Coordinates of all heavy atoms in Angstrom, one line a residue:
M23 N 116.2 117.9 -151.7 CA 114.7 117.9 -151.6 C 114.1 118.4 -152.9 O 113.1 118.0 -153.3 CB 114.3 118.9 -150.5 CG 114.5 118.3 -149.1 SD 114.1 119.5 -147.8 CE 112.4 119.8 -148.1
A24 N 114.9 119.3 -153.7 CA 114.3 119.9 -155.0 C 114.4 118.7 -155.9 O 113.5 118.6 -156.8 CB 115.2 121.0 -155.4
I25 N 115.4 117.9 -156.0 CA 115.5 116.8 -156.9 C 114.4 115.8 -156.6 O 113.7 115.3 -157.6 CB 116.9 116.1 -156.8 CG1 118.0 117.0 -157.3 CG2 116.9 114.7 -157.5 CD1 119.3 116.6 -157.1
I26 N 114.2 115.5 -155.3 CA 113.1 114.6 -155.0 C 111.7 115.1 -155.4 O 110.8 114.4 -155.9 CB 113.0 114.2 -153.5 CG1 114.3 113.5 -153.2 CG2 111.8 113.6 -153.0 CD1 114.5 113.2 -151.7
A27 N 111.5 116.4 -155.3 CA 110.3 117.0 -155.8 C 110.0 116.9 -157.3 O 108.9 116.7 -157.8 CB 110.2 118.5 -155.3
I28 N 111.1 117.2 -158.0 CA 111.1 117.1 -159.5 C 110.7 115.6 -159.9 O 109.9 115.4 -160.8 CB 112.3 117.5 -160.1 CG1 112.5 119.0 -159.9 CG2 112.5 117.2 -161.6 CD1 113.9 119.6 -160.3
L29 N 111.4 114.6 -159.2 CA 111.1 113.3 -159.6 C 109.6 112.8 -159.2 O 109.0 112.1 -160.0 CB 112.1 112.3 -158.9 CG 113.6 112.4 -159.4 CD1 114.5 111.6 -158.6 CD2 113.7 112.1 -160.9
A30 N 109.2 113.3 -158.1 CA 107.8 113.0 -157.7 C 106.8 113.6 -158.6 O 105.8 113.0 -158.9 CB 107.6 113.6 -156.3
T31 N 107.1 114.8 -159.1 CA 106.2 115.4 -160.0 C 106.2 114.6 -161.3 O 105.0 114.4 -161.9 CB 106.6 116.9 -160.3 OG1 106.6 117.6 -159.1 CG2 105.6 117.6 -161.2
A32 N 107.2 114.2 -161.8 CA 107.3 113.5 -163.0 C 106.6 112.1 -162.9 O 105.9 111.6 -163.8 CB 108.8 113.2 -163.6
G33 N 106.8 111.4 -161.7 CA 106.2 110.2 -161.4 C 104.7 110.3 -161.4 O 103.9 109.5 -161.8
L34 N 104.2 111.4 -160.7 CA 102.8 111.6 -160.5 C 102.1 111.9 -161.9 O 101.1 111.3 -162.1 CB 102.5 112.8 -159.5 CG 101.1 113.1 -159.1 CD1 100.6 111.9 -158.4 CD2 101.1 114.3 -158.3
S35 N 102.7 112.7 -162.7 CA 102.1 112.9 -164.0 C 102.0 111.6 -164.9 O 101.0 111.4 -165.5 CB 102.8 114.1 -164.8 OG 104.2 113.6 -165.0
A36 N 103.1 110.8 -164.7 CA 103.0 109.5 -165.5 C 101.9 108.6 -164.9 O 101.2 107.9 -165.6 CB 104.3 108.8 -165.5
Y37 N 101.9 108.6 -163.7 CA 100.8 107.7 -162.9 C 99.4 108.1 -163.3 O 98.6 107.2 -163.6 CB 101.0 107.8 -161.4 CG 100.1 107.0 -160.6 CD1 100.1 105.6 -160.6 CD2 99.1 107.6 -159.9 CE1 99.2 104.9 -159.8 CE2 98.1 107.0 -159.2 CZ 98.2 105.6 -159.1 OH 97.3 104.9 -158.4
T38 N 99.1 109.4 -163.4 CA 97.8 109.8 -163.7 C 97.5 109.5 -165.1 O 96.3 109.1 -165.5 CB 97.6 111.4 -163.5 OG1 98.6 112.1 -164.2 CG2 97.7 111.7 -162.0
G39 N 98.5 109.5 -166.0 CA 98.2 109.1 -167.3 C 98.0 107.6 -167.5 O 97.1 107.2 -168.3
Y40 N 98.6 106.8 -166.7 CA 98.4 105.3 -166.7 C 97.0 105.1 -166.1 O 96.2 104.2 -166.7 CB 99.4 104.7 -165.9 CG 100.8 104.6 -166.4 CD1 101.8 104.8 -165.6 CD2 101.0 104.5 -167.8 CE1 103.1 104.8 -166.1 CE2 102.3 104.5 -168.3 CZ 103.3 104.6 -167.4 OH 104.6 104.7 -167.9
I41 N 96.5 105.8 -165.1 CA 95.2 105.7 -164.6 C 94.1 105.9 -165.5 O 93.1 105.4 -165.7 CB 95.1 106.4 -163.2 CG1 96.0 105.9 -162.1 CG2 93.6 106.4 -162.8 CD1 95.7 104.5 -161.7
K42 N 94.4 107.1 -166.3 CA 93.4 107.5 -167.3 C 93.2 106.5 -168.4 O 92.1 106.2 -168.8 CB 93.8 108.9 -167.8 CG 92.8 109.5 -168.9 CD 93.2 110.9 -169.4 CE 92.3 111.3 -170.4 NZ 92.6 112.6 -171.1
K43 N 94.3 106.0 -168.9 CA 94.3 104.9 -170.0 C 93.5 103.6 -169.4 O 92.8 103.0 -170.2 CB 95.7 104.6 -170.4 CG 96.4 105.6 -171.2 CD 97.8 105.2 -171.6 CE 98.4 106.3 -172.4 NZ 99.8 106.0 -172.8
A44 N 93.8 103.3 -168.2 CA 93.1 102.1 -167.6 C 91.6 102.4 -167.5 O 90.8 101.4 -167.8 CB 93.8 101.7 -166.3
R45 N 91.2 103.5 -167.1 CA 89.8 103.8 -167.0 C 89.1 103.8 -168.4 O 88.0 103.3 -168.5 CB 89.6 105.2 -166.3 CG 89.8 105.1 -164.9 CD 89.6 106.5 -164.2 NE 89.9 106.5 -162.8 CZ 90.1 107.6 -162.2 NH1 90.0 108.7 -162.7 NH2 90.4 107.4 -160.9
D46 N 89.9 104.3 -169.4 CA 89.3 104.3 -170.7 C 89.2 103.0 -171.2 O 88.1 102.6 -171.8 CB 90.2 105.1 -171.6 CG 90.2 106.7 -171.4 OD1 89.2 107.1 -170.6 OD2 91.0 107.4 -171.8
T47 N 90.2 102.0 -171.0 CA 90.0 100.7 -171.4 C 88.9 100.0 -170.7 O 88.1 99.3 -171.4 CB 91.3 100.0 -171.1 OG1 92.4 100.7 -171.7 CG2 91.3 98.5 -171.5
T48 N 88.6 100.3 -169.5 CA 87.5 99.7 -168.7 C 86.2 100.2 -169.3 O 85.2 99.4 -169.5 CB 87.5 100.1 -167.2 OG1 88.8 99.5 -166.7 CG2 86.4 99.4 -166.5
R49 N 86.1 101.4 -169.6 CA 84.9 102.0 -170.2 C 84.6 101.4 -171.6 O 83.4 101.1 -171.8 CB 85.0 103.5 -170.3 CG 85.0 104.2 -169.0 CD 85.1 105.8 -169.2 NE 85.2 106.4 -167.8 CZ 86.1 107.3 -167.6 NH1 87.0 107.7 -168.4 NH2 86.0 107.8 -166.3
I50 N 85.6 101.2 -172.3 CA 85.3 100.6 -173.7 C 84.9 99.2 -173.5 O 83.9 98.7 -174.3 CB 86.7 100.7 -174.6 CG1 86.9 102.2 -174.9 CG2 86.5 99.8 -175.8 CD1 88.3 102.3 -175.5

Side-chain angles (χ1 to χ4, degrees):
M23 288 177 59
I25 291 170
I26 290 172
I28 290 169
L29 292 174
T31 303
L34 186 62
S35 64
Y37 177 72
T38 55
Y40 294 139
I41 294 298
K42 184 179 177 184
K43 287 180 184 178
R45 286 182 184 160
D46 290 346
T47 302
T48 304
R49 289 179 185 135
I50 290 171

